[in-house]
Amino acid sequence: MSARRFHRQQLCIALAVSMVACALSVRPWRGLIEHSMVWHMAVQMPMLVAGGWLWIGAAISGPDSRRLDAWNRYGLTGFFASQVVFAYWMLPLAIDRAVVMPTADAVKVAILLACGAMLKHSFDRSPPVMQLFFVGYAVSTLVAAGVFLATTESRLCNAYLMDSQVAAGWSVAVLGVAIGVAWGLGALQGVRVTTRRRQGFPDP
Amino acid sequence: MPQRPVPTHTKVDRNSNRPPEAELPADGLWKTFGASVLVLLTGLVLLFQATERGSAFTTEVLRRATVDRRAQPIPNLSLRDDQGNQTTLHDLLSTDSRISIVDFVYLRCRTVCTSLGSSYQRLQQQIVERGLQSRVQLLSVSFDPANDDITALRDYAQRMRLDPAAWRVVTLASADDRQLLLDAFGIVVIPAPLGEFEHNAALHIVNSKSMLVRIIDVDDAARALEFAVAAAGP
């Protein structure tokens, strides 16, 4: 497959993920996130971040992004910003606002797309040990928040039924574990490639 | 001893997007440090603001904290009581100097409204026993006027043994006012299976100027009564 065709395919995937995620905030598909916390927290929100990562991240991570690099050495600024963004959008009151206030939902869409882009920029510039710190923090937060949502007896979001909250809690916890496993496999692959290069073997 | 293979091609940096460290601007660290501190501080301030100074993480706690800090005005809406009389919310709340404890129900409800009804029965008993009818009143407002007609209100009043001097039940005269009513009190109603609704429940204390002054948990009815008595004055 030529590089150009591969690039075009990547753009198509990025566009599809971003558009599906954005469409979930527009009627008639908006009903899905209004009625199901799983669709909101475990499908739309991760898709927005993934869309930002794939779509905008590819644009700002290119070799011409030196000016941005100076503000994001080792990916530090992007990691801190994404942590603040995740901290807010994990709050039950933020989830409620996005459901009942279309303006808040539009802000959510824009911020999570931007967050995905920032994360892509940061991951491209950070050493594995720094990635481990931030991914570890994100995974532990997602798992802890997910288990809490699933096991608490209180209905934390006024906009969702208790059953929906429990399902969303487990989904978020599984998402956290999946992110940890995906990063771990990626890091392992990186270690293998580096080791092979040090030993003088060609890249597979 | 096995021979180490000789590299057959030039090494390619897979992470080609990442510029070599030596080529990064010298002031990059300071810019990144400044930007990170700015992002963290701005984020913390925004989180602090959004959570009512770090005290409210759910909408329910937030609306209670907001009312604690500043009383909220209640809109004047047309209502209908169990006798079929048309009245307004302000008339019910402000005709005399009584403090009102208001709750929101739909009369078919078998879950949270039943618990609210039991709380109100105990409150009514205390109000009558202590002779507080001239200082405190209970008001149940149905947010489901489509189903809760005068007959349903009457049945509810009979079933709960309402004493009209202490407790009144009303419904919205127009379904169009429903969202206005719910928004004013911060109630979120969502459809549930079997034609039921799920909604947040609490005891809302409203003064005789039609201002919502406190929201107290359903399980803390005794505190709601004491607060209302204290607010009503001697």
Side-chain angles (χ1 to χ4, degrees), chain B residues 34-230:
Chain B
S36 296
V37 170
L38 188 71
V39 159
L40 270 180
L41 286 178
T42 311
L44 287 175
V45 168
L46 290 175
L47 280 170
F48 195 68
Q49 290 285 329
T51 56
E52 194 71 26
R53 299 173 191 175
S55 65
F57 300 107
T58 66
T59 310
E60 190 57 24
V61 176
L62 181 68
R63 79 177 178 120
R64 294 179 191 196
T66 307
V67 171
D68 282 357
R69 202 155 51 90
R70 195 173 58 247
Q72 305 289 315
I74 299 304
N76 195 16
L77 305 170
S78 290
L79 303 170
R80 197 161 284 159
D81 66 14
D82 57 337
Q83 302 302 312
N85 301 319
Q86 189 129 356
T87 181
T88 68
L89 191 54
H90 281 192
D91 278 349
L92 284 176
L93 298 170
S94 315
T95 306
D96 46 39
S97 60
R98 286 194 292 180
I99 300 293
S100 306
I101 304 178
V102 184
D103 73 343
F104 297 90
V105 292
Y106 68 101
L107 305 181
R108 292 172 290 122
C109 179
R110 295 280 171 267
T111 53
V112 69
C113 308
T114 312
S115 157
L116 271 171
S118 304
S119 282
Y120 264 43
Q121 278 181 318
R122 285 194 293 276
L123 281 173
Q124 175 179 256
Q125 193 182 351
Q126 287 182 40
I127 289 170
V128 173
E129 281 174 5
R130 292 167 61 182
L132 296 170
Q133 295 95 321
S134 61
R135 295 163 70 188
V136 179
Q137 68 169 336
L138 305 174
L139 182 63
S140 294
V141 183
S142 161
F143 54 76
D144 185 22
N147 291 302
D148 295 344
D149 54 10
I150 295 160
T151 314
L153 293 180
R154 245 179 236 157
D155 287 348
Y156 183 79
Q158 277 180 358
R159 196 167 74 240
M160 304 306 282
R161 298 191 184 123
L162 262 71
D163 177 349
W167 183 4
R168 298 183 70 178
V169 60
V170 293
T171 189
L172 284 168
S174 165
D176 296 341
D177 290 338
R178 181 174 132 139
Q179 204 51 51
L180 199 60
L181 174 80
L182 298 177
D183 288 347
F185 284 89
I187 306 292
V188 178
V189 178
I190 49 175
L194 306 172
E196 299 268 339
F197 294 115
E198 184 112 32
H199 62 98
N200 48 327
L203 304 173
H204 305 79
I205 317 283
V206 182
N207 67 17
S208 57
K209 292 173 183 161
S210 297
M211 298 290 284
L212 175 61
V213 292
R214 190 62 56 100
I215 301 174
I216 294 175
D217 203 75
V218 183
D219 299 330
D220 214 355
R223 189 163 75 88
L225 182 60
E226 292 317 316
F227 184 88
V229 170

Side-chain angles (χ1 to χ4, degrees), chain A residues 134-181:
Chain A
F134 284 98
V135 171
Y137 184 82
V139 169
S140 56
T141 306
L142 285 170
V143 172
V147 171
F148 180 68
L149 279 172
T151 55
T152 181
E153 289 179 3
S154 307
R155 195 165 66 99
L156 298 176
C157 287
N158 284 349
Y160 291 109
L161 298 174
M162 193 69 193
D163 290 350
S164 192
Q165 175 182 308
V166 172
W170 290 126
S171 307
V172 167
V174 168
L175 180 72
V177 173
I179 289 172
V181 170

Side-chain angles (χ1 to χ4, degrees), chain A residues 20 28 49-50 61 63 66 73 83 101 108 141 151 153 166 188:
Chain A
V20 170
V49 175
S61 283
R66 291 284 169 82
R73 285 282 289 269
Q83 269 194 348
M101 295 166 62
K108 177 197 78 185
T141 306
T151 55
E153 289 179 3
V166 172
L188 212 63

Side-chain angles (χ1 to χ4, degrees), chain A residues 61 66 69-74 77 80-81 84 91-93 96-97 124 155-156 158-161 197 201-202, chain B residues 5 9 12 14-15 17-19 23-25 28 31-32 36 39 43 56-57 59-60 62 188 190 198-200:
Chain A
S61 283
R66 291 284 169 82
D69 286 352
W71 298 96
N72 196 24
R73 285 282 289 269
Y74 307 114
T77 313
F80 280 131
V84 171
L91 292 175
L93 65 87
D96 271 341
R97 270 183 199 157
D124 283 352
R155 195 165 66 99
L156 298 176
N158 284 349
Y160 291 109
L161 298 174
R197 281 181 189 169
F201 286 102
Chain B
H9 80 307
V12 178
R14 290 185 138 203
N15 202 352
N17 286 343
R18 185 178 168 190
E23 291 180 31
L24 285 167
K31 283 183 177 174
T32 296
S36 296
V39 159
F57 300 107
T59 310
E60 190 57 24
L62 181 68
V188 178
I190 49 175
E198 184 112 32
H199 62 98
N200 48 327

